[in-house]
């Protein structure tokens, strides 16, 4: 009987986990599928990204970047951060109502974007207009989107969990009618649900340094103890790499081949994204929220770090060299760097 109660509590806890995971996934920000890149909008230039791809009736996120036309001495325009931006959505199929939404920069995680989430009521083609007005005047850019029904896989975990909880509740109610002791079941259930919810919340939303430190042993438990830790610091518009064991800081990332390497990614200002196409690695870096990633480079050679987030005017120049060398060469290089300091 005790075993059945424990099983009940365990499965109920399992049902809570995907639900919390779902809540985390819903929080989109910046970037996504490019709809417009440097498109003319009167006196402005706009770039627009949407997320996810394809857009669905339950999830549509719009990110708009507004620039001035090409600025002297820069490869792009300068960000326009004080404009009024309006999103107008017109469905092509008959009968459905259009939407007009102001987009604010304060909605944005990265403060350079104007962003909003939209609930689109119908599937099909929609025409999208972006109206920008500000000190330089008003401008308009447009494109079209194809909206689909949400894929069923987004829901099965959720509905599966709901069905499971319902089943467990029915089973619990039946065993209570047969004389199960509710005074023992309910506190046990409550404790497990609360502990699970707290644990999952910490693991999935570790955003403060203290929470990051608390989840680090868990991360190491899952990924193994690293052979080498490198601190990667992103700032507008450069990368810095620190080897904490020696205090060496460089502008190129030197890595030993075949080693389990932990990269601790931090940002000093806005959101950046650590991208190494050859490593199939792309990780957003949110200020104040260090993020750990693991790499084990297997091939020696030269690669490039790029910033995959629009993090300001020079984001495309935010590059760094990666050199993967043999462990012996790496040790030599590191001691050389230490002597140079
Ligand atoms: Cu960046």
């Amino acid at each position: 009987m005790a075993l059945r109660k424990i099983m009940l509590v365990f499965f109920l806890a399992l049902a809570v986990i995907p639900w919390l995971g779902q809540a985390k996934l819903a929080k989109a920000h910046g970037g996504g599928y490019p709809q417009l890149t440097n498109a003319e909008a009167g006196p402005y230039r706009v770039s627009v990204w949407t997320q996810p791809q394809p857009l669905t009736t339950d999830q549509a996120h719009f990110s708009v970047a507004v620039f001035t036309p090409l600025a002297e001495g820069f490869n792009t325009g300068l960000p326009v951060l004080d404009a009024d931006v309006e999103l107008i959505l017109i469905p092509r199929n008959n009968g459905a109502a259009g939407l007009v939404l102001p987009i604010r920069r304060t909605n944005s995680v990265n403060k350079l974007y104007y962003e909003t989430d939209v609930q689109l009521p119908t599937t099909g083609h929609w025409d999208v207009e972006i109206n920008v007005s500000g000190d330089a005047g008003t401008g308009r850019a447009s494109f079209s989107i194809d909206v689909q029904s949400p894929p069923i896989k987004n829901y099965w975990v959720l509905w599966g969990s709901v069905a499971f909880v319902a089943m467990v509740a029915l089973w619990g109610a039946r065993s209570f009618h047969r004389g199960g002791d509710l005074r023992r079941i309910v506190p046990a259930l409550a404790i497990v649900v609360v502990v699970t919810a707290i644990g999952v919340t910490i693991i999935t939303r570790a955003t403060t340094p203290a929470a990051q430190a608390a989840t680090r042993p868990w991360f190491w438990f899952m990924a193994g103890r690293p052979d080498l830790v490198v601190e990667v610091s992103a700032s507008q518009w450069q990368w810095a790499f620190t080897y904490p064991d020696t205090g060496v800081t460089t502008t190129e990332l030197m890595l030993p081949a075949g080693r389990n390497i932990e990269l601790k990614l931090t940002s000093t200002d806005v959101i950046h994204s650590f991208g190494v196409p050859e490593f199939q690695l792309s990780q957003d870096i949110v200020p104040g929220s260090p993020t750990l990633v693991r790499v084990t480079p297997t091939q020696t050679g030269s690669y490039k770090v790029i910033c995959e987030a629009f993090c300001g005017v020079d984001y495309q120049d935010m590059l760094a060299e990666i050199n993967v060398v043999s462990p012996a060469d790496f040790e030599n290089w590191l001691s050389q760097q230490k002597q140079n300091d």
Side-chain angles (χ1 to χ4, degrees):
M1 225 21 218
L3 185 68
R4 280 177 69 186
K5 279 174 200 163
I6 290 164
M7 291 299 285
L8 181 152
V9 165
F10 176 73
F11 283 119
L12 190 62
L14 274 188
V16 175
I17 292 168
W19 180 75
L20 285 169
Q22 200 89 1
K24 184 181 163 70
L25 282 178
K27 205 175 104 185
H29 70 82
Y33 182 81
Q35 297 285 1
L36 291 176
T37 304
N38 253 325
E40 201 171 321
Y44 309 101
R45 299 293 177 270
V46 295
S47 292
V48 183
W49 297 264
T50 55
Q51 226 172 255
Q53 177 65 11
L55 294 168
T56 60
T57 45
D58 71 333
Q59 211 188 0
H61 189 86
F62 290 79
S63 305
V64 179
V66 181
F67 311 86
T68 63
L70 198 64
E72 188 111 12
F74 291 100
N75 296 332
T76 64
L78 296 168
V80 175
L81 303 178
D82 57 355
D84 287 316
V85 180
E86 200 175 52
L87 180 66
I88 300 171
L89 297 141
I90 305 142
R92 283 199 198 153
N93 54 351
N94 46 358
L99 300 168
V100 179
L101 298 156
I103 318 186
R104 295 194 183 83
R105 205 159 55 80
T106 46
N107 290 347
S108 158
V109 180
N110 184 328
K111 299 302 176 202
L112 293 168
Y113 295 110
Y114 297 81
E115 291 191 42
T116 193
D117 282 304
V118 183
Q119 291 282 328
L120 295 162
T122 58
T123 59
H125 284 285
W126 288 68
D127 289 312
V128 182
E129 271 178 31
I130 306 284
N131 285 338
V132 183
S133 64
D135 292 343
T138 59
R140 166 178 300 195
S142 57
F143 57 97
S144 67
I145 52 172
D146 182 31
V147 180
Q148 301 186 4
S149 327
I152 209 81
K153 68 176 158 66
N154 283 357
Y155 282 126
W156 81 262
V157 173
L158 188 64
W159 289 115
S161 310
V162 169
F164 199 88
V165 171
M167 267 166 53
V168 169
L170 280 172
W171 175 67
R174 205 185 58 167
S175 71
F176 174 62
H177 273 289
R178 286 182 181 169
D181 190 351
L182 204 63
R183 280 171 305 177
R184 285 170 62 192
I185 296 175
V186 168
L189 269 180
I191 289 167
V192 170
V193 168
V194 167
V195 167
T196 307
I198 291 171
V200 170
T201 306
I202 289 171
I203 287 165
T204 57
R205 298 173 185 218
T207 51
T208 66
Q212 291 274 343
T215 54
R216 204 177 166 87
W218 171 254
F219 188 82
W220 281 16
F221 174 73
M222 297 298 282
R225 222 184 159 78
D227 300 317
L228 173 73
V229 176
V230 185
E231 292 169 3
V232 177
S233 172
S235 51
Q236 288 169 316
W237 291 276
Q238 59 202 342
W239 299 99
F241 308 101
T242 302
Y243 297 80
D245 295 341
T246 53
V248 167
T249 297
T250 61
T251 53
E252 62 171 346
L253 179 56
M254 191 71 85
L255 298 175
R259 293 286 188 267
N260 185 350
I261 299 155
E262 179 176 288
L263 301 175
K264 186 183 178 190
L265 310 174
T266 56
S267 165
T268 61
D269 38 46
V270 297
I271 290 182
H272 298 277
S273 187
F274 182 81
V276 186
E278 288 90 347
F279 291 4
Q280 299 194 346
L281 181 63
S282 177
Q283 174 61 55
D284 279 1
I285 316 173
V286 180
S289 178
T291 305
L292 304 177
V293 295
R294 284 301 174 88
V295 288
T296 304
T298 51
Q299 309 251 319
T300 58
S302 285
Y303 310 94
K304 260 214 161 53
V305 182
I306 57 176
C307 182
E308 295 184 340
F310 168 69
C311 59
V313 286
D314 283 343
Y315 80 100
Q316 73 275 51
D317 297 328
M318 193 166 157
L319 304 167
E321 202 76 37
I322 299 185
N323 285 304
V324 177
V325 295
S326 70
D329 287 351
F330 174 78
E331 291 307 327
N332 287 340
W333 172 84
L334 197 60
S335 55
Q336 195 112 46
Q337 293 293 315
K338 209 174 161 185
Q339 279 163 24
N340 292 349
D341 272 358

